[in-house]
Amino acid sequence: MFLSVFDLYKIGIGPSSSHTMGPMSAAARFLDELKSGAWPRPAGARVERLGGSLHGSLAFTGVGHATDRAVILGLAGERPDAVDPDAMEAIVESVRKSGRVTPPGHPAYGFDPDEDLRFDRENPMPGHANGLAFYAYDGDGRLLLRRGYYSVGGGFIVGEEEIDQTTVYGEKAEDDHVPYPFASAAEMVAMAEQSGRSIAEMKRANEIARDPQGHLDAKLDAVWDAMDGCIARGMSAHGELPGGLKVRRRAARLADHLREKAKSNRFDPLVGNDWLTVYAMAVNEENAAGGRVVTAPTNGAAGTVPAVIKYMMQFHEGASREDVRTFLLTSAAVGGIIKHNASISGAEVGCQGEVGSAAAMAAAGLAAVMGGTPQQIENAAEIALEHHLGMTCDPVGGLVQVPCIERNGIAAVKAVTAASLALKGDGTHIVPLDACIETMRQTGADMDSRYKETSLGGLAVNLPEC
């Protein structure tokens, strides 16, 4: 089983990998097919107008997660990793005013978001909770092309026709042709023992085997630079987050408070936890504002891994760029196992699959940098994930703000605690990581849909003012 570190850590925009980045990428894929001309249609038929429909969780919480904006941007030719966050609102407003999109390399198409993009809450698509479809019409309103897609978490897109060719959670089963094709934590640890290599070294070998000219270190550094830049922006920004909840940014104010408090030179036993929380909140406030973030492994959980890396760089003496690479490679190995055997999608398994997975990945990365054995690293990931089991995804107002922003801070603290506990043992423990992952999968399957990113239960309905 091979899932690249750059599949889990994608540079994109907020506020949601499944509800924003995924739909934008699906729109881009639809445009690519339109442009190719490799689809059947009547002779002389020409596409004049586009349409779209959102289903399942995308329909219920799409407005709060900016799915409509993502679709508009995608049909306008923008892609998550390249769009300028500062230009997005102008692009969306232009489409709304003109009722047209003009993606590069295409003719202009009619597209009025108010008329041509439907939030269909009555008809879920069968393959996944996050379904969407795009339509192309001629000048007489005749349907020429329809394509369905599923946004399966972390920005991953699966075509409607591909869903049966994948595992239940959307990852293609194929011969990976990598030197260390571990598909479970048990296999990962066994391969590390047999080869004498660390988890990060095995993951590095797999990445190089699949992409020999991929400039791995430079790409890993770019991921961390994007994460670190997101923290910096979040720690300098003030004001109210969009969406109507009137949530005010806190990370910058909290960071200023910690800096001022440090001037007293008085010992503060909570300072590490405080900085962890601030770093994570800074990222998720940027995400909520629709800024540039890195999926880790999703947008809703984007703050946990960067916060723990930043904490490592601040409090671990001698931490270096090479340590960051080791952290990212190790954490991606664990994240790939979770995605392969369960899910990282809140719409499938609740927030245990998003923040829980992020905490497990962060704990594994930190344990690796701190000199942990493969067994201790596996233990760290298990401890972090175990104590997120059953966590629901119930965003208030359909926004990735409450409880998501604070939740990432708490998950970062849990990740550091889990790594510390694991490093104080010899790797022996009762619950294997694989059993914990399977438990998360089963729990997600049993969880009521009201608690899986639909905002129909939990906190989302128990705050009267919302």
Side-chain angles (χ1 to χ4, degrees), residues 152-381:
V152 296
F156 289 89
I157 289 295
V158 176
E160 195 172 40
E161 73 284 356
E162 300 166 339
I163 196 73
D164 292 335
Q165 304 169 26
T166 66
T167 68
V168 68
Y169 291 105
E171 187 176 317
K172 289 185 179 179
E174 58 183 354
D175 185 1
D176 294 311
H177 301 295
V178 294
Y180 302 100
F182 49 83
S184 68
E187 290 178 0
M188 178 179 71
V189 171
M191 287 183 187
E193 290 178 337
Q194 292 164 8
S195 67
R197 290 191 167 198
S198 69
I199 292 171
E201 288 169 341
M202 293 193 302
K203 184 64 176 169
R204 176 178 288 276
N206 287 349
E207 293 284 341
I208 293 172
R210 289 298 294 267
D211 187 11
Q213 305 300 323
H215 308 290
L216 180 59
D217 284 346
K219 290 164 70 174
L220 290 170
D221 290 348
V223 166
W224 168 239
D225 287 343
M227 289 177 170
D228 197 28
C230 187
I231 292 173
R233 290 192 303 276
M235 286 174 50
S236 62
H238 298 269
E240 191 175 284
L241 294 171
L245 284 183
K246 300 188 183 300
V247 173
R248 298 195 64 79
R249 289 178 179 256
R250 290 181 288 166
R253 177 171 53 82
L254 291 171
D256 288 342
H257 172 74
L258 289 174
R259 293 187 191 102
E260 191 63 30
K261 191 174 180 181
K263 294 177 182 177
S264 70
N265 290 322
R266 299 173 74 176
F267 174 70
D268 181 359
L270 299 178
V271 67
N273 281 0
D274 287 344
W275 277 115
L276 264 173
T277 306
V278 168
Y279 295 146
M281 290 176 62
V283 172
N284 284 87
E285 287 174 357
E286 276 296 290
N287 180 62
R292 177 73 65 210
V293 296
V294 179
T295 61
T298 67
N299 282 34
T304 301
V305 166
V308 176
I309 297 177
K310 189 73 171 178
Y311 167 89
M312 174 190 80
M313 298 297 282
Q314 181 174 348
F315 291 98
H316 179 45
E317 186 177 357
S320 66
R321 279 270 180 174
E322 190 56 40
D323 289 326
V324 174
R325 296 166 191 152
T326 295
F327 191 115
L328 291 172
L329 289 166
T330 306
S331 62
V334 168
I337 290 169
I338 294 173
K339 186 182 185 303
H340 179 69
N341 294 298
S343 177
I344 58 171
S345 169
E348 279 184 316
V349 297
C351 201
Q352 58 176 351
E354 295 204 29
V355 167
S357 297
M361 293 164 65
L366 183 61
V369 172
M370 298 294 290
T373 65
Q375 294 86 350
Q376 289 172 319
I377 292 166
E378 184 263 359
N379 189 15

Side-chain angles (χ1 to χ4, degrees), residues 54-57 59-60 120-131 150:
L54 306 173
H55 303 262
S57 176
F60 282 106
D120 187 346
R121 296 178 175 87
E122 303 299 324
N123 300 291
M125 290 170 61
H128 189 275
N130 291 333
Y150 295 105

Side-chain angles (χ1 to χ4, degrees), residues 23-215:
M24 190 187 300
S25 297
R29 181 168 164 179
F30 182 69
L31 287 178
D32 287 344
E33 183 168 359
L34 276 184
K35 186 176 180 180
S36 75
W39 47 278
R41 58 200 179 279
R46 190 171 68 177
V47 176
E48 298 285 351
R49 183 168 61 88
L50 304 180
S53 58
L54 306 173
H55 303 262
S57 176
L58 295 182
F60 282 106
T61 60
V63 173
H65 286 63
T67 308
D68 51 345
R69 183 183 69 166
V71 168
I72 295 168
L73 290 166
L75 291 179
E78 301 292 342
R79 298 177 186 260
D81 60 341
V83 64
D84 179 359
D86 295 329
M88 292 190 299
E89 291 308 318
I91 296 170
V92 170
E93 186 61 24
S94 174
V95 172
R96 290 192 181 278
K97 284 183 176 180
S98 68
R100 303 183 73 78
V101 289
T102 54
H106 292 255
Y109 302 121
F111 179 71
D112 181 346
D114 293 334
E115 298 292 332
D116 297 323
L117 181 60
R118 295 183 293 112
F119 288 77
D120 187 346
R121 296 178 175 87
E122 303 299 324
N123 300 291
M125 290 170 61
H128 189 275
N130 291 333
L132 69 162
F134 292 102
Y135 312 87
Y137 303 92
D138 67 11
D140 295 325
R142 178 174 49 173
L143 179 64
L144 299 178
L145 178 66
R146 176 200 176 276
R147 286 291 182 262
Y149 304 93
Y150 295 105
S151 182
V152 296
F156 289 89
I157 289 295
V158 176
E160 195 172 40
E161 73 284 356
E162 300 166 339
I163 196 73
D164 292 335
Q165 304 169 26
T166 66
T167 68
V168 68
Y169 291 105
E171 187 176 317
K172 289 185 179 179
E174 58 183 354
D175 185 1
D176 294 311
H177 301 295
V178 294
Y180 302 100
F182 49 83
S184 68
E187 290 178 0
M188 178 179 71
V189 171
M191 287 183 187
E193 290 178 337
Q194 292 164 8
S195 67
R197 290 191 167 198
S198 69
I199 292 171
E201 288 169 341
M202 293 193 302
K203 184 64 176 169
R204 176 178 288 276
N206 287 349
E207 293 284 341
I208 293 172
R210 289 298 294 267
D211 187 11
Q213 305 300 323
H215 308 290

